[in-house]
Amino acid sequence: MRDTSARLLALLALLQSRPEWTAVELAERLDVTDRTIRNDVRRLRELGYPVDATLGRAGHYRLGVGAKLPPLLLDDDEAVAVASGLRAATGIDGIEEASVRALTKLEQVLPSRLRRPVNAISSATTRGPENTSSNVEDPDVDPAALTTVATAIRDHEEIRFFYRGDPALVEPYRLVSWQRRWFVVGRDPATGTWAPYRLDWMELRIPGGKRFRPTLLPGGDYSAFVLREVAFGGWNVHVRITVDAPADEVVSRINPTVGVVESIDDDTCVLVTGADSIEVVAVYIGMLGLDFRVSEPPELVRHLQLLGERYLRSVG
């Protein structure tokens, strides 16, 4: 028979591997008596593991949800995957500090045989730049706000917040992560209007609103809804650009996350797009490879004139 500490770890690993175990099954797997299983379950509870028990002929044990996070048992592949994921998360604004803390704790308890592959992955990996980067600093991700909104979505509870200074109350339905920003898809219960809200522009108010009965989003595609609506109202800078080409031609040339195309006639269309800076908008439309006309906003017109003069000087 293995010693008590090793047996407790083995018992905990079994409880984590599937939802339910009978005492007989656990006893057979660990080669002990039912009484030993009962004693070991009691010891796990004393250590903070919430082991639930159901009595009777169909009785079983299961690992429940507790008030605190006890140590986890991870197999080798799981430990390497978690450590690698935490290393990647250290570059995400708003949660990098928590990721570093978690990674430090994990690496302190990794056996030497696992440190080697984790370090190998880290030393052999270089994070490339995002191809949609801009000259505007990414907003911080507030983990507390993410948790609050996600919980409200799960429990079908309204959220109250100030949105760029204006009070709002919506029914939250989905969180969409896009372009290193978080958007909350919500419905105004008073008007029935759907809209995406940038999480970094929201100042949540506690407590929230009442519970609501969910309503289906027209079309049902939350990501497509965010892409479409953000093109019209979710950026710091919004522009309408007349393009001398059919709408189908423009659609075939742009990333669907860039904007929305509106047909005018067989040879002309309007591209509705935006970004968090004039410079990024200029990059987007410069990549079209088509003739276009811009009359507003004045800041974009001036910037395009400056770029045109700069490019002409480069070949003079």
Side-chain angles (χ1 to χ4, degrees):
M1 181 187 298
R2 67 186 77 186
D3 60 59
T4 302
S5 58
R7 193 177 64 247
L8 288 178
L9 289 175
L11 174 58
L12 182 58
L14 289 175
L15 291 172
Q16 290 180 340
S17 67
R18 80 182 200 199
E20 297 178 355
W21 291 85
T22 65
V24 173
E25 290 174 325
L26 292 172
E28 290 177 350
R29 292 292 293 269
L30 298 177
D31 192 22
V32 296
T33 65
D34 292 2
R35 180 178 179 181
T36 299
I37 292 298
R38 290 194 297 272
N39 290 334
D40 286 350
V41 166
R42 176 178 53 78
R43 293 188 181 98
L44 286 178
R45 288 169 175 164
E46 291 172 351
L47 291 172
Y49 292 91
V51 182
D52 298 332
T54 301
L55 302 178
R57 297 186 61 181
H60 58 264
Y61 292 106
R62 65 182 303 162
L63 199 59
V65 178
K68 62 179 180 178
L69 180 65
L72 300 176
L73 284 182
L74 302 175
D75 63 30
D76 289 5
D77 289 343
E78 291 169 342
V80 172
V82 171
S84 301
L86 287 170
R87 284 190 184 277
T90 58
I92 301 177
D93 289 340
I95 63 172
E96 65 268 50
E97 182 180 343
S99 300
V100 169
R101 293 200 309 269
L103 180 60
T104 299
K105 293 177 181 178
L106 180 59
E107 289 184 333
Q108 286 176 345
V109 298
L110 281 177
S112 58
R113 72 175 187 279
L114 296 185
R115 287 199 188 97
R116 294 185 64 187
V118 168
N119 291 333
I121 293 172
S122 176
S123 61
T125 303
T126 300
R127 293 189 64 192
E130 299 283 351
N131 60 9
T132 54
S133 293
S134 73
N135 59 342
V136 178
E137 185 175 343
D138 291 340
D140 283 345
V141 177
D142 183 353
L146 277 174
T147 301
T148 299
V149 173
T151 301
I153 292 172
R154 180 198 65 192
D155 297 340
H156 306 309
E157 293 180 348
E158 298 172 340
I159 54 175
R160 300 185 307 127
F161 54 94
F162 289 105
Y163 196 64
R164 310 195 95 177
D166 296 327
L169 183 146
V170 303
E171 302 168 349
Y173 283 84
R174 189 66 56 89
L175 278 164
V176 177
S177 176
W178 175 51
Q179 299 280 58
R180 300 184 304 282
R181 283 139 179 82
W182 288 90
F183 297 88
V184 182
V185 179
R187 176 180 177 273
D188 187 323
T191 65
T193 303
W194 292 82
Y197 301 88
R198 272 181 57 165
L199 188 61
D200 57 301
W201 291 354
M202 297 168 59
E203 181 184 345
L204 294 176
R205 302 166 63 190
I206 305 296
K210 63 180 185 300
R211 294 178 65 89
F212 63 89
R213 184 185 298 274
T215 300
L216 292 178
L217 171 73
D221 191 330
Y222 291 95
S223 296
F225 174 77
V226 169
L227 300 189
R228 182 176 65 252
E229 295 298 316
V230 167
F232 287 96
W235 298 114
N236 284 328
V237 178
H238 295 92
V239 297
R240 294 175 62 88
I241 301 161
T242 303
V243 184
D244 296 328
D248 290 345
E249 174 70 9
V250 175
V251 169
S252 69
R253 290 174 178 246
I254 68 171
N255 186 304
T257 66
V258 169
V260 176
V261 179
E262 301 174 349
S263 179
I264 295 179
D265 53 42
D266 292 342
D267 301 310
T268 314
C269 65
V270 169
L271 171 62
V272 182
T273 187
D276 276 343
S277 73
I278 289 294
E279 290 80 6
V280 175
V281 173
V283 171
Y284 284 162
I285 59 179
M287 294 171 63
L288 277 176
L290 298 169
D291 290 340
F292 60 87
R293 286 164 282 141
V294 176
S295 58
E296 57 180 352
E299 297 84 0
L300 178 58
V301 174
R302 288 195 296 270
H303 184 68
L304 291 175
Q305 290 172 338
L306 176 64
L307 286 179
E309 294 168 358
R310 182 174 296 154
Y311 288 150
L312 286 173
R313 287 195 301 271
S314 71
V315 295

